[in-house]
Amino acid sequence: MATTGPDELRQRARRAYEWGRLRHSLVNAWPALPLTALSCWLCHETGLSVAIGAALFALTAGLLWHGRIATRAARAGLKAGMVAFAVPVAAFHSYFAPHCCTLTDMLIVNAGCGLGVGILLSVESTHLQAQRNVFLLFASVVAALCGMLGCILFGPMGLAGMAAGVVLSTAPIAIYRRAMA
């Protein structure tokens, strides 16, 4: 039986550790998959839903794999993003659906949802001791991607409204923090 040198043993242990972290991150990024499937089913825009869902899954898994502040941002972004997904879908499929079909109402629903999510994440980032802007950036991107899966119902303007709402609510806070540092 061949013996294993200390360097090879360390290398094998490190490889097993990283594979375990990757598997763990892929398992914990699961909310992106049902959101994508639901978006495909509701929106009938399969290509766009799959593209946004794949980006969401890859980003979330990568952030969870990286660890530390990125993991906290991915989890917070997924939680806020599920709300951002549900609000436009509920607005479109509710009693008020005939009134949501105008451009103005569509932008109000999507941008308002984006603003709300951005404010929620900004408040959550104030509880951190360090790397608040990194948390805010990653969580906002994850939440915006989740919300975009629900905004596909409204077309490109819905996607733009969600993204604009998140950016308009998080950018001033990040700029203010940078100026005060």
Side-chain angles (χ1 to χ4, degrees), residues 20-30 57 60-66:
R21 288 184 61 209
L22 180 62
R23 280 191 301 271
H24 183 262
S25 68
L26 292 173
V27 167
N28 286 326
W30 71 268
F57 183 78
T60 304
L63 291 174
L64 291 170
W65 174 77
H66 188 270

Side-chain angles (χ1 to χ4, degrees), residues 33 60 117 150:
L33 301 176
T60 304
V117 165

Side-chain angles (χ1 to χ4, degrees), residues 67-73 121-122 124-138 177 181:
R68 298 185 182 138
I69 198 73
T71 298
R72 291 182 74 175
L121 291 173
S122 297
E124 191 166 335
S125 72
T126 61
H127 302 298
L128 300 173
Q129 298 297 325
Q131 295 183 324
R132 292 176 176 171
N133 289 343
V134 173
F135 172 86
L136 195 57
L137 172 70
F138 288 146
R177 284 184 190 151

Side-chain angles (χ1 to χ4, degrees), residues 8 16 20 34 43 47 69-70 83 96 103 106 111 120 122 138 142 147 152-153 157-158 164 174:
E8 186 180 341
C43 304
I69 198 73
V83 172
F96 301 106
L103 180 64
M106 173 183 57
L120 179 75
S122 297
F138 288 146
V142 170
I152 293 173
L153 285 166
M157 292 303 290

